[in-house]
Amino acid sequence: MSGVIGLDQVALRAYRGMCLARAFDTKLSSLYKAGKVFGGVFLGRGHEAVAAASAAFLERGRDVYNPFIREMAGRCVWGDDALLEACRSYFGSALGCMGGKDGNVHWGQPTQGNPAPVSHLGAMLSVVAGMMLAKRLRGEAGGVGVACIGDGTTSVGATHEACNLIAVEKLPVVVVVTNNRYAYSTPNCEEFACADLTDRGKGYGMCTYSCDGTDFLQTLSTMRQAVESARNGEGAQWVVATTLRMCGHGEHDDAAYIPAELKEAYAQRDPLDVARRQLLEKGWLSEQEADEMDAVARDAVQRALAQAQREDPPAPRTVDWRATSWNPQGA
Amino acid sequence: MSVTYIDAIHRAMEDLLAEDELVFLYGEDIAGSFGGAFKATKGLAEKYPGRVMNAPISEDAILGVGIGAALGGMHPILEMQFADFGTLALNQMGNNAGAHYFRTGVPVNLTLRMPCGGTPGGGPFHSQSVEALFAHYPGLHVLTPATVGDAYDMLKQAVQIPDPVVFMEHKYLYRRVKAESFTNPDPLPVGRARIAREGEHATIIAFSAMVPEALEAAQLLAEQSGYEPEVVDLRSVKPLDTDTILASVARTGRLLVVSEDFPWGGVAAEVVARVAAEGLHLLDAPPLRLTSKESPIPYHPELWKAHRPSAATIAQATRYLISL
Ligand SMILES: Cc1ncc(C[n+]2csc(CCOP(=O)(O)OP(=O)(O)O)c2C)c(N)n1
Ligand SMILES: [Mg+2]
């Protein structure tokens, strides 16, 4: 796709997704602190560049996109309905794709290549594998699946099973590992003992890449290479992007366990600032256009949040409680 | 001609592959000329190239692939080499496949075949009956055929049901249960229990490999004591045909539920709970359960026989029930 559409266009679309995600996170955090959200709130601060890049080279309808916890920017790149659906998910709107039956980051549109993630970390990788296998069995060529996970999720048994299987079947899947150095409160050194997370990908027999996840253009070109390789029939790809989670695990968490020096080291590397700087330097965006994009994003977030909060909640008396689509006669 | 229970399973898959191009088989050691640990897929990989696939030893991922493939429009039939290893797929089946329709409105059309139950020498980890673990989760159907006809029909029905279906095929029945043909003399839809033997003095509820044991017990009781217990084959534990169970209890006034599973929180407990809640007034005696012992399944055949319910212990329990 990037062969047809220039990298500048892809980069602008990705940056727009990042602006939407940041504006969404900022508003959602306030709403959480005001006690307006039912459960937890999980933000993507610091992850925006990786998240946006993870979806930037995909095409809805042909490809599969499986975002992880902090991929709001990627969801916005994947589809324009993402902002409203994310708001509906948090507020449990009856009109959302989960209808209030699941919430926060656990939403998807499984018939549109976007499976609805369960909480169990690592469980979705094999689902993506199955979706790609179905395409192969049905003779639909050219599709790519992107599955996003975190550093901690590389320790989960399900992740290992799925990555091994994806490599064995040579499925066109890109596994994007965002190494934000922590899994909830647990640092990398208590999560794995290999020198580098790319070692894991090599162990599976995947083609591996690593990039600085705060460097927008570097991350974008890494993802382009990985997605193109998968699309060209080169099998499974493993991308490790390093960044820092610039917020708590959820908004209930003050992340006091992250050393101040590390937070300071990343203070100058906010992916939104880096991306803006890079786009200005390239001349792909002017200061004025960047400000406009930001303002438009904030307006869109306001509108979507207001709409989702206004929409009807699911009604216990009329909601479809059935757990199966088929039921025996008379039951 | 005489056909076995495993012939029926093989034939059902062969027919499904022929009739439905969306069906494919995925599991450990099922492809090539090998054809599976129990030969349930023997010859199918050669006949349907590319549609019978070996999986790595990754039970969780096998289920995940099945879910994804079903979302991609396929009708996967997944095989666990032994139901005991199905515990490693329980998360995907219960939390992912089972919750999917409720969460998204999109059904996950997959069939999970699990060779289950005890055989002599099977030991603690190749013998278990895990139907209650799977049935516990909302969103799954759990089928437990006991006859050749049901093994054939219900596997075919499992693929037609658009939801995740657990197909519990009992290893003890594989080559011991025989019939003249695959054709069910008495075809029933999934969700209906079958009166396997009519009677009047007590109702014995059984499923899977406990059905032939219960029928043998009924025969013993009739010959030795003149009692005629009614034997009900549940056929599926979820859906559970409470209507047929209650109707039988209404005729006999006495209930014994037999299950090969461990006692705690199993299908037998569920049946007793339902009859107690909905049909206490029908009972002339307290409802009884007969299950395996509250200990892991032993290896030595003599210990194994003593661990599980048998025709003799079912007959004994029925006599006691009738004496109450
Ligand atoms: C199997 C499983 N175990 C534990 C959890 C609880 N949990 C949710 S997110 C998380 C940390 C994940 O860390 P990582 O993969 O590094 O992603 P990050 O949150 O850093 O983006 C944990 C422990 C879970 N959801 N699933
Ligand atoms: Mg992490």
Side-chain angles (χ1 to χ4, degrees):
Chain A
M1 196 180 75
S2 53
V4 184
I5 299 172
L7 190 62
D8 54 341
Q9 291 304 307
V10 177
L12 288 178
R13 204 160 59 92
Y15 181 64
R16 180 176 162 270
M18 293 168 67
C19 292
L20 283 167
R22 180 60 64 88
F24 175 74
D25 276 9
T26 306
K27 281 306 289 181
L28 196 63
S29 172
S30 314
L31 288 165
Y32 174 80
K33 284 168 186 153
K36 296 267 203 286
V37 188
F38 300 118
V41 159
F42 304 90
L43 306 185
R45 285 175 175 276
H47 285 235
E48 289 92 344
V50 194
S54 71
F57 302 96
L58 300 182
E59 194 183 301
R60 196 155 155 175
R62 174 171 63 158
D63 297 323
V64 168
Y65 184 51
N66 169 226
F68 195 52
I69 307 171
R70 309 183 198 284
E71 267 66 34
M72 184 58 188
R75 286 181 178 278
C76 290
V77 174
W78 171 256
D80 285 334
D81 50 350
L83 181 56
L84 183 57
E85 284 302 335
C87 297
R88 286 170 161 169
S89 181
Y90 271 104
F91 289 97
S93 160
L95 300 182
C97 52
M98 309 303 278
K101 291 173 176 174
D102 205 341
N104 60 59
V105 297
H106 303 109
W107 65 271
Q109 295 143 320
T111 55
Q112 297 171 47
N114 178 24
V118 292
S119 291
H120 298 70
L121 301 171
M124 297 310 290
L125 289 164
S126 54
V127 174
V128 172
M131 293 173 86
M132 300 321 292
L133 185 67
K135 287 185 191 292
R136 177 190 290 175
L137 290 167
R138 296 170 72 102
E140 296 164 16
V144 168
V146 166
C148 302
I149 57 172
D151 46 279
T153 300
T154 67
S155 308
V156 178
T159 302
H160 169 71
E161 288 194 3
C163 288
N164 177 62
L165 186 152
I166 286 166
V168 166
E169 284 297 331
K170 301 183 175 61
L171 291 168
V173 173
V174 182
V175 179
V176 179
V177 185
T178 303
N179 183 3
N180 62 6
R181 297 149 192 276
Y182 286 85
Y184 208 155
S185 75
T186 305
N188 279 181
C189 63
E190 291 173 25
E191 204 65 63
F192 49 86
C194 53
D196 191 286
L197 278 181
T198 52
D199 294 348
R200 298 208 158 180
K202 290 191 188 99
Y204 295 124
M206 296 189 187
C207 181
T208 66
Y209 310 77
S210 59
C211 61
D212 174 356
T214 64
D215 183 329
F216 174 62
L217 289 181
Q218 189 193 116
T219 304
L220 207 57
S221 66
T222 305
M223 269 312 292
R224 176 166 66 172
Q225 219 184 321
V227 171
E228 272 176 8
S229 300
R231 222 182 276 292
N232 292 338
E234 288 163 41
Q237 316 288 315
W238 175 272
V239 176
V240 178
T242 303
T243 184
L244 188 71
R245 193 187 70 215
M246 299 171 185
C247 54
H249 171 67
E251 282 303 273
H252 59 277
D253 171 29
D254 65 5
Y257 44 82
I258 302 183
E261 310 84 74
L262 193 55
K263 287 180 184 162
E264 276 153 31
Y266 270 90
Q268 300 307 312
R269 298 169 65 186
D270 184 318
L272 266 292
D273 299 340
V274 176
R276 183 179 166 123
R277 208 160 50 231
Q278 290 177 332
L279 290 172
L280 293 177
E281 275 165 19
K282 286 269 182 199
W284 292 347
L285 197 67
S286 69
E287 289 272 4
Q288 194 195 336
E289 284 165 339
D291 288 344
E292 249 171 51
M293 202 182 264
D294 226 23
V296 168
R298 270 176 294 163
D299 280 355
V301 166
Q302 284 283 25
R303 271 199 310 279
L305 280 169
Q307 178 176 338
Q309 283 177 282
R310 262 198 324 268
E311 285 173 357
D312 282 342
R317 291 164 69 87
T318 54
V319 81
D320 184 2
W321 285 103
R322 285 174 307 175
T324 56
S325 71
W326 174 87
N327 289 289
Q329 280 164 339
Chain B
M1 187 189 85
S2 158
V3 292
T4 64
Y5 182 94
I6 194 161
D7 292 338
I9 290 165
H10 182 279
R11 178 62 175 274
M13 286 192 282
E14 189 169 0
D15 290 353
L16 282 161
L17 283 163
E19 294 159 11
D20 181 354
E21 61 182 15
L22 299 175
V23 166
F24 75 102
L25 316 183
Y26 193 52
E28 295 159 17
D29 303 299
I30 68 167
S33 57
F34 187 68
F38 299 99
K39 306 295 166 223
T41 54
K42 181 104 184 131
L44 297 182
E46 285 108 331
K47 195 163 172 195
Y48 295 97
R51 293 174 64 194
V52 182
M53 298 169 54
N54 273 342
I57 309 165
S58 299
E59 284 76 12
D60 181 291
I62 290 170
L63 250 293
V65 164
I67 294 168
L71 293 177
M74 301 298 292
H75 296 163
I77 302 178
L78 312 168
E79 178 179 310
M80 292 287 113
Q81 201 154 70
F82 286 83
D84 309 61
F85 309 133
T87 52
L88 293 163
L90 185 63
N91 180 52
Q92 290 283 12
M93 195 63 175
N95 285 314
N96 209 343
H100 202 270
Y101 177 71
F102 180 73
R103 292 170 69 234
T104 65
V106 179
V108 177
N109 188 348
L110 70 79
T111 303
L112 172 61
R113 289 180 43 237
M114 294 213 282
C116 67
T119 53
F125 311 117
H126 289 74
S127 303
Q128 293 176 66
S129 303
V130 294
E131 63 277 343
L133 287 179
F134 284 81
H136 176 73
Y137 281 94
L140 307 179
H141 306 291
V142 184
L143 317 189
T144 51
T147 67
V148 170
D150 275 353
Y152 178 79
D153 276 353
M154 290 171 83
L155 184 49
K156 293 197 72 181
Q157 287 165 0
V159 176
Q160 268 132 39
I161 292 173
D163 302 312
V165 175
V166 182
F167 186 82
M168 302 289 293
E169 44 188 71
H170 203 296
K171 304 192 296 291
Y172 191 82
L173 303 181
Y174 269 168
R175 292 178 172 82
R176 287 182 179 84
V177 171
K178 298 188 175 85
E180 281 308 302
S181 81
F182 302 116
T183 313
N184 214 330
D186 180 20
L188 286 172
V190 170
R192 284 279 302 283
R194 176 176 63 98
I195 308 291
R197 177 181 173 124
E198 289 184 2
E200 54 180 313
H201 298 112
T203 294
I204 305 176
I205 305 283
F207 59 97
S208 195
M210 291 296 107
V211 172
E213 299 290 340
L215 287 170
E216 195 184 326
Q219 187 63 29
L220 278 173
L221 286 164
E223 285 167 7
Q224 293 173 354
S225 322
Y227 292 132
E228 289 291 347
E230 182 151 292
V231 177
V232 177
D233 172 4
L234 288 180
R235 299 178 68 248
S236 63
V237 301
K238 194 178 196 178
L240 184 59
D241 183 0
T242 315
D243 290 351
T244 298
I245 296 169
L246 286 170
S248 177
V249 172
R251 286 191 289 275
T252 66
R254 287 167 207 272
L255 174 68
L256 171 68
V257 191
V258 185
S259 160
E260 191 180 324
D261 196 4
F262 305 123
W264 210 98
V267 171
E270 180 68 27
V271 173
V272 167
R274 290 195 188 200
V275 171
E278 295 174 44
L280 194 63
H281 58 288
L282 304 173
L283 289 168
D284 298 327
L288 288 190
R289 279 188 294 165
L290 184 66
T291 65
S292 283
K293 291 185 194 299
E294 174 71 12
S295 54
I297 300 162
Y299 162 72
H300 194 283
E302 291 308 314
L303 293 183
W304 171 71
K305 277 189 220 160
H307 181 271
R308 81 198 266 266
S310 64
T313 60
I314 296 169
Q316 189 184 18
T318 310
R319 270 198 200 92
Y320 170 70
L321 177 65
I322 293 171
S323 78
L324 290 175

